Amino acid sequence: MDAIIIETIVKAALVIAVFSALAGFGTFIERKILAFMQRRLGPMHVGPFGILQIAADGIKLFTKEDIIPQHANKFIFMIAPIITAATAFIALAAVPIFPEFTVFGYTIHPIVADINVGILFILGAMASGLYGPLLAGMAQANKWGIIGSARTAILFMSYEVVTGLSLLAPIMLVGSLSLIDFNAAQTGGVGEWLVWQQPVAFILFIIAGFAETNRTPFDILEHEAEIISGYATEYSGMRWGMFFIGEYANMITISFMASLIFFGGFNEWGILPGGLAILLKVSFFFFLMLWVRASWPHIRPDQLMWLCWKVLMPIAILNVLITGLVMML
Amino acid sequence: MSNEITIKIDGKECKTTEGEFLLNAARANDIFIPAICYLTRCSPTLACRICLVEADGKRVYACNAKAKDGMEITVSNEEILEERRAIMEVYDVNHPLQCGICDQSGECELQNYTLELGVDSQQYFIPDTKRENKDWSSVLHYDAGLCIVCERCTTVCKDMIGDAAIKTGARGGAVLDKGLKTTMPKDAYAMWNKLQKAIIVPSNGTEFTNCSDCGECTAVCPVGALVSKEFIYTTNSWELERIPATCAHCSSGCQIYYETKHTSISNPDKKIYRVTNEWNYVSLCGAGRFGFDFENRVDGKDEDAFNRAIEAFKKADTIKFNSTITNEEALMLQRVKDKFGTRLVNADALAFKEFLSIYSIASGNSLYKNDFREVMQSDFVISVGTSLRNDNPNARYAFNNVQKMNKGAGLYFHPVGDTLVPTFGKSVESLIHKVGQEELALYLVLDLFADKEKIPSDIKDYLASFHSTVKKTIKEKVMQSVTSTVVDKVTGESKEVTKKVPKMIDKEIEADENELINLLGGDSSKFADAFEKMMKKKENFSMIIGEDLYFHPKARNIARLVALIETTCDMNLVMIPPKTNSLGVALICDLDKEVSGYTIGYNEKADFTLSAIGDGDLDIPAINQQEGTFVNMNKVLVPTNAALEYKGYELNDILNALDIGKDETIDFTIELPENKGFKAVAFDDLPNGYTNSGKENRGYILENLKVTKEDIKVVTFNDNIILNGEIAYRCNPQRQFNDFTEKSEQIFEEFAIYASPAKAEKLGKKVEVKFDKKSIVLSVIVDDRMSGDILAIPDFRSSEDIYAIFGKNRFKQVTIRKV
Amino acid sequence: MSLNKFKDRNVGVQNYTLIEHEAFPQTGGEKFARVLKRTIKGELFVGLWVTMRTMILALFNGEIHTVKYPFEKLPISPRYRAIHDMLRLLESGHYRCIGCGLCEKICIADCIKMDTKYDENQRKEVTEYTINFGRCIFCGYCAEVCPELAIVHGGRYETASQQRASFSIFDDMLTPIDALKEQKEYPGFGAVSPNADDNIKKTPLAY
């Protein structure tokens, strides 16, 4: 029992440390990718190819003055970014990152907690993460913030139903909510990947995932050209940084989920070992998010609602119905 | 005087007067005829020949051809244009291409006409002659290289100013190719021929001009050849802002433009760079042209001094001031008197006011009848009681202009000898009389010009008492017939031939001897003949009277005499107010005689001094920093504008603190007393300019009101007022009038005794002059245009209080001690 | 000039070109059809390809357009109008400006000022000359109007400074006397045209 507690604490600490660093690295990668796609160089001056820009930005964020507006609700204003960051990492707890491996005869499961309702837990944790922007926008006594909050609510109401319904069909096929089980269901190579059986579910999930992580084309919460910085308008320093870490951690989580549920997870892929395979898959989904940001314009909140409720939700229900029918026959 | 006629210029019917020059007739009717050398009020010089026009088919010069009824004039045809173009081309030959730096650039008539006539290439040429830049005097700079010898400067100096200090001299230029005479247009050749031989030089044969430094030559110069020394290369003319104003130095009240620009790159405050005038219609003196930098620069409002000033006004018994102020200021001081009963003391205005009041009771008019514009139209001018050269430049210009332009004559009565006045014309008689004999001068005028029927019989008898009949021999030329026998050499015959041969014989005639002439320092035997010549063809007479008569022990009697002359002689009468606005102050203020108690000085030294030159207890704006009006000697109320900013307090602020002020000083203009001849016209409605015909369009003319006439007897002359011995005369040098001119940097005349060369030699360098109560020590400066033994002591420095020393007389018996 | 042009205050409408676009869907069916059409057409993937292509070219073909500004500078046109230079006469080394004031007059931003005086050599001397670079719009009129080719535009376009005066003092703009040999004529506004000699008519001289 003690061993499990120690192991879990170590795992949790590692996840927080590694994924915080990855989130920071994600910002650097994003800036680079966007720059190349726009024929620019991106950050170049700090370190080789500007790699140390992350450190410079981190130092900047840590040392910047933490400003709290005079009429803000101080308490809520202060905890809102923590909600975002914390829920992002909590969601990661149920994500199996690598296949099991043995160190000094001790088998390690690279998952913080393999709970049997893993998918539900992840979706729930990530959904509650949106309380961060919602509360932040309302607490800061700023008109742009209020608009940001309202848009958060719209976003929330729009994608959540699609995420759940789109995943329902694969869950029905696998018969479990644990991601480990999903992984186990696709051990038979590329041909057994769930994406071939559930292509529609995958598309719906990836669209909903973009919405869940506030990525373009659904970055309506803080769209600079329209509402300054939305919910983050009044934030500065590390509090603002925590929103960022949360957002990038969520991006990684969604990438993991997509890989695990539809693309064979950490199973061996041909000659590629499982660990490397999942890293490649996650990297691709992460890159896809940046690629889309560089290519597509963003949509209006009303268009998002129209899309989710009038297009995606009926398709998802149809998908569930057809999957059920096929399984019954 | 002359008949109105109609002429046709380029088909347009123009009304003008018979004998008017065509150029003036065209200008008055807004028709443009190019002309360079002509000046409106001077004689035509025919130097430029560019005003060539065709009148009734003949080529004439518009500046000297006179209009006849029904004349038809063509301003330009092809030949004339070719002629004009050739003239401008010749003017451009060898003219330095330095428009970039030339001061005249932008307002240069050579530039203008070169463009106007389309000179775009040059076909004539001649070797150039080296011509040196010269400084003619302390203010004049002559760049001979730029000079086109249009002779406007010499013309204005002779015909208007009267100095005749410059003339054309030999240039030593190359001789024109004779072949050009046939190939180039006739007038252009003639002009060029003359141009190659002439240059402008001082007429006294030296390098320097001996003149009154009026700078009028720099104003009329069409190119950049004549520029004032201070102004040269300091700014381009187009950078300057022109502010129409009125010169505040003497009672002429000439219209001027202050031209301002920021002082330098580091100092954005406005500065006056020069003063310009409409030189065709008004001529300035040296004070007006160069005395412009007298502004009172203050940093801000000095509240402590202001509060002290208000206290001073509340407890003051007397306000002492002079007449170099605007009507509005005078009215404000009068308002102070109305409210607090403060005494107003102003020496010059009081004397003039008293003189005017006696005159108006005797004549029935509140003001003198005529103005100086009418004097300029007359052909016989008499000047009594004014030092013509010093007191008022425009009176002198008028006197001179009459001699030059109207073939006029003049009589100049004054105790101080002057060598310039007789040079104004051949028919000028100068009578240097004794101090105190001014009444006799007026009696002589009565005797010479009055309609004897109108004079009261006692005066008639009195005048007759000076006349006696004397027998004298004169030489007369008689033609005598002489018969002689001539033998013809060829034939040997003798003939009797009768020839007429002139012969001088003595003849005894009865001549009228006028003792008045002798008393006044003339020679009655010669005067009769001279006077007869002077009177030939004269029909329009004028008399100028001046300050000596207002400050005279017998001023009351003199005023009556003047009124008598006006009623009995057919003569224009003008008076010269002693200071800038003496006439306005005399009309607006109730003046008191004596200073008493606590005294405020308004531009005068007193217990509390308000000073516009910056040396008093509270600063007030100088004339070029404030808006206002003056009444000039032509009885015209003329407006002046503020050229420079003034940051401190002004009199109106004090009045506001005393609850009798207005929003603006100029709000008082409309309230000037209508019962004295002023009109209820607001300041902003007053024009300040001239029309194309030269008509003055400035302010308004004061109304000459009717006054109940009383018959007052004039008394005869009593010679007990004649002064003998050393005599001092209160008289300013030519360019000095007041504290403001003294403050100006380009006016150099010192506060000193001015004396004729002979007298100055006797006096030495410095003398002490003892008056009844006071004595002053002054250095002696030679005025080579003075003659006689009288000393001139200036009064322009108010702190010296010369008015008080002299009291009610301009002449004073003094004792002199060398220092 | 006719004022009719100015009396028509219906500004802007005249020059519009209407772009053809398909009719908006009215009924639900039409809307559905449009959604289907747009979904299937794959326009989104065209967008993705455009950015991917750009990235590939940028990474492997070096098509990067960034100029690392303070370290790299693009060459400017010789006719570029940057901070003014005051030139000197090549022979005597005296500054060319004669103080004619034409630049001061023509300056539409009213930023040129000069002080002049009559000097001891009987010439017009320019004692002070400044251009207020806070106001200057670098229109080039001053260089064009200058009769002496004295004021021209130089190549200094980096105009950030602790004080404006750093650029505008006469001596700063003047070619340094030791750099007189490197002084170049400005080919832009106000320069002498190559065929200037052919365009003037010679004045006959007597010497």
Coordinates of all heavy atoms in Angstrom, one line a residue, chain B residues 94 99-103 120-128 133 135 141 229 232-236 238-239 261-266, chain C residues 98-102 104-106 110 112-119 122-125 127-130 147 201-207:
Chain B
N94 N 23.5 92.1 -67.3 CA 24.5 92.3 -66.3 C 23.9 92.6 -64.9 O 24.6 92.9 -64.0 CB 25.5 93.5 -66.6 CG 26.4 93.2 -67.7 OD1 26.5 92.0 -68.1 ND2 26.9 94.2 -68.4
C99 N 19.0 86.9 -57.0 CA 17.7 87.0 -56.4 C 17.6 86.1 -55.2 O 16.8 86.5 -54.3 CB 16.7 86.6 -57.5 SG 16.6 87.6 -58.9
G100 N 18.3 85.0 -55.2 CA 18.2 84.1 -54.0 C 18.5 84.8 -52.7 O 17.9 84.4 -51.7
I101 N 19.4 85.7 -52.7 CA 19.8 86.3 -51.4 C 19.3 87.8 -51.4 O 19.3 88.4 -50.3 CB 21.3 86.3 -51.2 CG1 22.0 86.9 -52.3 CG2 21.7 84.9 -51.0 CD1 23.4 87.5 -51.9
C102 N 18.8 88.3 -52.5 CA 18.5 89.8 -52.5 C 17.3 90.1 -51.6 O 16.4 89.3 -51.5 CB 18.2 90.2 -53.9 SG 17.8 91.9 -54.1
D103 N 17.4 91.2 -50.9 CA 16.4 91.5 -49.9 C 15.1 91.9 -50.6 O 14.0 91.8 -50.0 CB 16.8 92.7 -49.1 CG 17.8 92.3 -48.0 OD1 17.4 91.4 -47.3 OD2 18.8 92.9 -47.9
D120 N 12.4 86.1 -71.7 CA 12.9 84.7 -71.3 C 14.3 84.5 -72.0 O 14.8 83.4 -71.8 CB 11.9 83.7 -71.8 CG 11.6 83.8 -73.2 OD1 12.1 84.7 -73.9 OD2 10.7 83.0 -73.7
S121 N 14.8 85.4 -72.7 CA 16.1 85.2 -73.2 C 16.8 86.6 -73.4 O 16.1 87.6 -73.3 CB 16.1 84.5 -74.6 OG 15.4 85.3 -75.5
Q122 N 18.1 86.6 -73.6 CA 18.8 87.8 -73.7 C 19.6 87.9 -75.0 O 20.2 87.0 -75.4 CB 19.8 87.9 -72.5 CG 20.6 89.2 -72.5 CD 21.6 89.1 -71.4 OE1 21.5 88.5 -70.4 NE2 22.7 89.8 -71.6
Q123 N 19.4 89.0 -75.7 CA 20.1 89.1 -77.0 C 21.1 90.3 -77.0 O 22.0 90.4 -77.9 CB 19.2 89.2 -78.2 CG 18.0 90.2 -77.9 CD 17.2 90.4 -79.1 OE1 17.7 90.4 -80.2 NE2 15.9 90.5 -78.9
Y124 N 21.0 91.2 -76.0 CA 22.0 92.3 -75.9 C 23.0 92.0 -74.9 O 22.8 91.3 -73.9 CB 21.2 93.6 -75.6 CG 20.1 93.9 -76.5 CD1 18.8 93.8 -75.9 CD2 20.2 94.1 -77.8 CE1 17.7 94.1 -76.7 CE2 19.1 94.3 -78.6 CZ 17.9 94.3 -78.1 OH 16.8 94.5 -78.9
F125 N 24.2 92.6 -75.1 CA 25.2 92.4 -74.1 C 26.2 93.5 -74.1 O 26.3 94.3 -75.1 CB 26.0 91.1 -74.3 CG 26.5 90.9 -75.7 CD1 27.8 91.4 -76.0 CD2 25.8 90.3 -76.7 CE1 28.3 91.2 -77.2 CE2 26.3 90.2 -77.9 CZ 27.6 90.6 -78.2
I126 N 26.9 93.7 -73.0 CA 27.9 94.8 -72.9 C 28.8 94.5 -71.8 O 28.3 93.8 -70.8 CB 27.2 96.2 -72.7 CG1 28.1 97.3 -73.0 CG2 26.6 96.3 -71.3 CD1 27.4 98.6 -73.3
P127 N 30.0 94.8 -71.8 CA 30.9 94.6 -70.7 C 30.4 95.2 -69.4 O 29.9 96.4 -69.5 CB 32.3 95.1 -71.1 CG 32.2 95.2 -72.6 CD 30.8 95.5 -72.9
D128 N 30.5 94.6 -68.3 CA 30.0 95.1 -67.1 C 31.1 96.1 -66.5 O 32.3 96.0 -66.8 CB 29.8 94.0 -66.1 CG 28.8 94.4 -65.0 OD1 28.4 95.6 -65.0 OD2 28.4 93.5 -64.2
N133 N 29.8 98.4 -53.4 CA 28.8 98.6 -52.3 C 29.2 99.7 -51.4 O 30.4 99.9 -51.1 CB 28.7 97.3 -51.4 CG 27.9 96.2 -52.1 OD1 27.4 96.4 -53.2 ND2 27.8 95.1 -51.4
D135 N 28.2 102.3 -47.9 CA 27.3 102.7 -46.9 C 27.2 104.2 -46.9 O 28.2 104.9 -46.7 CB 27.9 102.3 -45.5 CG 27.6 100.8 -45.3 OD1 26.7 100.3 -45.9 OD2 28.3 100.2 -44.4
H141 N 22.3 101.8 -47.1 CA 23.3 100.9 -47.8 C 23.0 100.9 -49.3 O 21.8 100.6 -49.7 CB 23.2 99.5 -47.2 CG 24.1 98.6 -47.9 ND1 25.4 98.4 -47.5 CD2 23.9 97.7 -49.0 CE1 26.0 97.5 -48.3 NE2 25.1 97.1 -49.2
K229 N 20.6 99.6 -43.5 CA 21.8 98.8 -43.1 C 21.4 97.7 -42.1 O 22.0 96.6 -42.1 CB 22.8 99.7 -42.4 CG 23.9 100.1 -43.3 CD 24.9 101.1 -42.7 CE 25.8 100.5 -41.7 NZ 26.7 101.6 -41.2
I232 N 19.4 94.6 -43.9 CA 20.0 93.9 -45.1 C 20.3 92.4 -44.7 O 20.8 92.1 -43.6 CB 21.2 94.6 -45.6 CG1 21.7 93.9 -46.9 CG2 22.3 94.6 -44.6 CD1 22.7 94.8 -47.6
Y233 N 19.8 91.5 -45.5 CA 20.0 90.0 -45.4 C 19.5 89.5 -44.1 O 19.9 88.4 -43.7 CB 21.5 89.7 -45.5 CG 22.0 89.9 -46.9 CD1 23.4 90.0 -47.1 CD2 21.2 90.1 -48.0 CE1 23.9 90.2 -48.4 CE2 21.7 90.3 -49.2 CZ 23.1 90.3 -49.5 OH 23.6 90.5 -50.7
T234 N 18.6 90.1 -43.4 CA 18.1 89.5 -42.1 C 16.9 88.6 -42.4 O 16.7 87.7 -41.7 CB 17.7 90.6 -41.1 OG1 16.9 91.5 -41.8 CG2 18.9 91.2 -40.5
T235 N 16.1 88.9 -43.4 CA 14.9 88.1 -43.6 C 14.4 88.3 -45.1 O 14.8 89.3 -45.7 CB 13.8 88.4 -42.7 OG1 12.6 87.6 -43.0 CG2 13.3 89.9 -42.8
N236 N 13.6 87.3 -45.6 CA 13.0 87.5 -46.8 C 11.7 88.2 -46.6 O 11.0 88.0 -45.6 CB 12.7 86.1 -47.5 CG 14.0 85.5 -48.0 OD1 14.8 86.2 -48.7 ND2 14.2 84.3 -47.8
W238 N 8.8 87.9 -47.9 CA 7.6 87.1 -47.8 C 7.4 86.4 -46.5 O 6.3 85.9 -46.2 CB 7.5 86.1 -48.9 CG 8.7 85.2 -49.0 CD1 8.9 84.1 -48.1 CD2 9.8 85.2 -49.9 NE1 10.1 83.5 -48.5 CE2 10.6 84.1 -49.5 CE3 10.2 86.0 -51.0 CZ2 11.8 83.8 -50.2 CZ3 11.3 85.7 -51.6 CH2 12.2 84.6 -51.3
E239 N 8.4 86.4 -45.7 CA 8.3 85.8 -44.3 C 7.6 86.8 -43.4 O 7.2 86.5 -42.3 CB 9.6 85.4 -43.7 CG 10.3 84.4 -44.5 CD 9.7 83.0 -44.4 OE1 9.0 82.8 -43.4 OE2 9.8 82.2 -45.3
K261 N 8.2 89.2 -37.7 CA 8.5 87.8 -37.8 C 9.1 87.4 -36.5 O 9.5 88.2 -35.7 CB 9.6 87.7 -39.0 CG 9.8 86.3 -39.5 CD 10.8 86.2 -40.6 CE 12.2 85.8 -40.0 NZ 13.1 85.4 -41.0
H262 N 9.2 86.1 -36.3 CA 9.9 85.6 -35.1 C 11.3 86.1 -35.0 O 12.0 86.3 -36.1 CB 9.9 84.1 -35.0 CG 10.5 83.4 -36.2 ND1 11.8 83.2 -36.2 CD2 10.0 83.0 -37.3 CE1 12.1 82.6 -37.4 NE2 11.0 82.5 -38.1
T263 N 11.8 86.4 -33.8 CA 13.1 87.0 -33.7 C 14.3 86.1 -34.2 O 15.1 86.6 -35.0 CB 13.4 87.3 -32.2 OG1 12.3 87.9 -31.6 CG2 14.6 88.1 -32.0
S264 N 14.3 84.9 -33.9 CA 15.3 84.0 -34.4 C 14.8 82.6 -34.2 O 13.7 82.4 -33.6 CB 16.7 84.2 -33.7 OG 16.6 83.8 -32.4
I265 N 15.6 81.6 -34.6 CA 15.2 80.2 -34.4 C 15.0 79.9 -32.9 O 14.1 79.2 -32.5 CB 16.3 79.3 -35.0 CG1 16.2 79.3 -36.5 CG2 16.1 77.8 -34.5 CD1 17.3 78.6 -37.2
S266 N 15.9 80.4 -32.1 CA 15.8 80.1 -30.7 C 14.8 81.0 -29.9 O 14.5 80.7 -28.8 CB 17.2 80.2 -30.0 OG 17.8 81.4 -30.4
Chain C
I98 N 22.9 79.4 -49.6 CA 23.1 80.8 -49.7 C 22.0 81.6 -48.9 O 22.0 82.8 -48.9 CB 23.0 81.3 -51.2 CG1 21.6 80.8 -51.8 CG2 24.2 80.8 -52.0 CD1 21.3 81.5 -53.1
G99 N 21.2 80.8 -48.2 CA 20.2 81.5 -47.3 C 19.1 82.2 -48.1 O 18.5 83.2 -47.7
C100 N 18.7 81.6 -49.3 CA 17.7 82.3 -50.1 C 16.3 82.1 -49.4 O 15.4 82.8 -49.7 CB 17.6 81.7 -51.5 SG 17.1 80.0 -51.6
G101 N 16.1 81.1 -48.6 CA 14.8 80.9 -47.9 C 13.7 80.3 -48.7 O 12.6 80.2 -48.3
L102 N 14.1 79.7 -49.9 CA 13.0 79.1 -50.7 C 12.5 77.8 -50.0 O 11.4 77.5 -50.0 CB 13.6 78.7 -52.1 CG 13.8 80.0 -53.0 CD1 14.2 79.5 -54.3 CD2 12.5 80.8 -53.1
E104 N 12.5 77.2 -46.8 CA 11.6 77.7 -45.7 C 10.2 78.0 -46.2 O 9.3 77.7 -45.5 CB 12.3 79.0 -45.1 CG 11.7 79.5 -43.8 CD 12.5 80.7 -43.4 OE1 13.4 81.2 -44.1 OE2 12.2 81.2 -42.3
K105 N 10.2 78.6 -47.4 CA 8.9 79.1 -47.9 C 8.1 77.9 -48.4 O 6.9 77.8 -48.2 CB 9.1 80.1 -49.1 CG 7.8 80.5 -49.7 CD 7.0 81.4 -48.8 CE 5.7 81.8 -49.4 NZ 4.8 82.2 -48.4
I106 N 8.7 76.9 -49.1 CA 8.0 75.9 -49.8 C 7.6 74.8 -48.8 O 6.6 74.1 -49.1 CB 8.8 75.3 -50.9 CG1 7.8 74.7 -52.0 CG2 9.8 74.3 -50.5 CD1 8.5 74.4 -53.3
D110 N 6.0 73.4 -42.7 CA 6.5 74.6 -42.0 C 7.6 74.2 -40.9 O 7.5 74.6 -39.8 CB 5.4 75.3 -41.3 CG 5.7 76.8 -41.1 OD1 6.8 77.2 -41.6 OD2 5.0 77.5 -40.4
I112 N 11.1 74.2 -41.6 CA 12.4 74.7 -41.8 C 12.5 76.1 -41.3 O 11.6 76.9 -41.6 CB 12.8 74.6 -43.3 CG1 12.8 73.1 -43.7 CG2 14.2 75.2 -43.5 CD1 13.2 72.9 -45.2
K113 N 13.5 76.5 -40.6 CA 13.7 77.9 -40.2 C 15.2 78.2 -40.4 O 16.1 77.4 -40.2 CB 13.4 78.1 -38.7 CG 11.9 77.9 -38.4 CD 11.3 79.3 -38.2 CE 9.8 79.2 -37.9 NZ 9.1 78.4 -38.8
M114 N 15.4 79.5 -40.8 CA 16.8 79.9 -40.9 C 17.0 81.3 -40.4 O 16.1 82.1 -40.4 CB 17.3 79.7 -42.3 CG 16.6 80.6 -43.3 SD 17.4 80.5 -44.9 CE 16.9 78.9 -45.4
D115 N 18.2 81.6 -39.9 CA 18.5 83.0 -39.5 C 19.7 83.4 -40.4 O 20.6 82.6 -40.6 CB 19.0 83.1 -38.0 CG 17.8 82.9 -37.1 OD1 16.7 82.9 -37.5 OD2 18.1 82.7 -35.9
T116 N 19.6 84.6 -40.9 CA 20.7 85.0 -41.8 C 21.1 86.4 -41.4 O 20.5 87.1 -40.7 CB 20.2 85.1 -43.3 OG1 19.0 85.9 -43.3 CG2 19.9 83.8 -43.8
K117 N 22.3 86.8 -41.8 CA 22.8 88.1 -41.6 C 23.8 88.6 -42.6 O 24.2 87.8 -43.5 CB 23.4 88.2 -40.2 CG 24.8 87.5 -40.1 CD 25.5 87.9 -38.9 CE 27.0 87.6 -39.1 NZ 27.8 87.4 -37.9
Y118 N 24.1 89.9 -42.6 CA 25.0 90.5 -43.6 C 26.4 90.3 -43.0 O 26.6 90.8 -41.9 CB 24.6 91.9 -43.7 CG 25.4 92.7 -44.7 CD1 25.3 92.4 -46.1 CD2 26.2 93.8 -44.4 CE1 26.0 93.2 -47.0 CE2 27.0 94.5 -45.3 CZ 26.9 94.2 -46.6 OH 27.6 94.9 -47.5
D119 N 27.3 89.6 -43.6 CA 28.5 89.3 -42.9 C 29.6 90.3 -43.4 O 29.4 91.1 -44.3 CB 29.0 87.9 -43.1 CG 29.5 87.5 -44.5 OD1 29.5 88.4 -45.3 OD2 29.8 86.4 -44.7
Q122 N 30.4 91.0 -47.0 CA 29.3 91.6 -47.8 C 28.5 90.4 -48.4 O 27.9 90.6 -49.5 CB 29.8 92.5 -48.9 CG 30.6 93.7 -48.3 CD 30.9 94.7 -49.4 OE1 30.9 94.4 -50.6 NE2 31.1 95.9 -49.0
R123 N 28.5 89.3 -47.8 CA 27.6 88.2 -48.3 C 26.5 87.9 -47.3 O 26.6 88.3 -46.1 CB 28.5 86.9 -48.5 CG 29.5 87.0 -49.6 CD 30.4 85.9 -49.5 NE 29.7 84.6 -49.8 CZ 29.7 84.0 -51.0 NH1 30.4 84.5 -52.0 NH2 29.0 83.0 -51.2
K124 N 25.6 87.1 -47.7 CA 24.5 86.7 -46.8 C 25.0 85.4 -46.1 O 25.3 84.4 -46.8 CB 23.2 86.4 -47.6 CG 22.0 86.2 -46.8 CD 20.8 86.1 -47.6 CE 19.5 86.2 -46.8 NZ 18.3 86.3 -47.7
E125 N 25.1 85.5 -44.8 CA 25.6 84.4 -44.1 C 24.5 83.7 -43.4 O 23.6 84.3 -42.8 CB 26.7 84.8 -43.1 CG 27.3 83.7 -42.4 CD 28.2 84.2 -41.2 OE1 28.8 85.3 -41.3 OE2 28.3 83.4 -40.2
T127 N 23.4 82.0 -40.3 CA 23.9 81.8 -38.9 C 23.3 80.6 -38.2 O 23.9 80.0 -37.4 CB 23.7 83.1 -38.1 OG1 22.3 83.4 -38.2 CG2 24.5 84.2 -38.6
E128 N 22.0 80.4 -38.5 CA 21.4 79.2 -37.9 C 20.5 78.6 -39.0 O 19.9 79.3 -39.8 CB 20.5 79.6 -36.7 CG 21.3 80.1 -35.5 CD 21.6 79.0 -34.6 OE1 21.2 77.9 -34.8 OE2 22.3 79.3 -33.6
Y129 N 20.4 77.3 -38.9 CA 19.5 76.6 -39.8 C 19.0 75.3 -39.1 O 19.7 74.5 -38.7 CB 20.2 76.2 -41.1 CG 19.4 75.6 -42.2 CD1 19.1 76.5 -43.3 CD2 18.9 74.3 -42.2 CE1 18.3 76.0 -44.3 CE2 18.1 73.9 -43.2 CZ 17.8 74.7 -44.3 OH 17.0 74.2 -45.3
T130 N 17.7 75.2 -39.0 CA 17.2 74.0 -38.4 C 16.0 73.4 -39.2 O 15.3 74.1 -39.9 CB 16.6 74.2 -37.0 OG1 15.5 75.0 -37.0 CG2 17.7 74.8 -36.1
P147 N 18.0 76.1 -55.2 CA 18.7 76.4 -56.5 C 20.1 76.1 -56.5 O 20.8 76.1 -57.5 CB 18.5 78.0 -56.5 CG 18.4 78.4 -55.1 CD 17.7 77.2 -54.4
K201 N 19.2 78.0 -72.9 CA 19.7 78.9 -74.0 C 20.8 79.7 -73.4 O 20.6 80.3 -72.4 CB 18.5 79.7 -74.4 CG 18.7 80.5 -75.7 CD 17.3 81.0 -76.1 CE 17.4 82.0 -77.2 NZ 16.1 82.6 -77.5
K202 N 21.9 79.7 -74.1 CA 23.0 80.4 -73.5 C 22.9 82.0 -73.6 O 22.3 82.5 -74.6 CB 24.3 80.0 -74.2 CG 24.7 78.6 -73.9 CD 26.2 78.4 -73.7 CE 26.5 77.1 -73.1 NZ 26.0 75.9 -73.9
T203 N 23.3 82.7 -72.6 CA 23.2 84.1 -72.6 C 24.5 84.7 -73.2 O 25.6 84.2 -72.8 CB 23.0 84.6 -71.2 OG1 21.8 84.2 -70.7 CG2 23.1 86.1 -71.2
P204 N 24.4 85.6 -74.2 CA 25.6 86.1 -74.8 C 26.4 87.0 -73.7 O 25.7 87.7 -73.0 CB 25.1 87.0 -75.9 CG 23.7 87.3 -75.6 CD 23.2 86.2 -74.8
L205 N 27.6 86.8 -73.6 CA 28.4 87.6 -72.7 C 29.4 88.4 -73.4 O 29.9 88.1 -74.5 CB 29.2 86.6 -71.7 CG 28.3 85.8 -70.8 CD1 29.2 84.8 -70.0 CD2 27.6 86.7 -69.8
A206 N 29.7 89.6 -72.8 CA 30.6 90.5 -73.5 C 32.1 90.2 -73.2 O 33.0 90.8 -73.7 CB 30.3 91.9 -73.2
Y207 N 32.3 89.2 -72.3 CA 33.7 89.0 -71.9 C 33.8 87.5 -71.6 O 32.9 86.8 -71.5 CB 34.1 89.8 -70.6 CG 33.0 89.8 -69.5 CD1 33.0 88.8 -68.5 CD2 32.0 90.7 -69.5 CE1 32.1 88.8 -67.6 CE2 31.0 90.7 -68.6 CZ 31.1 89.7 -67.6 OH 30.1 89.7 -66.7

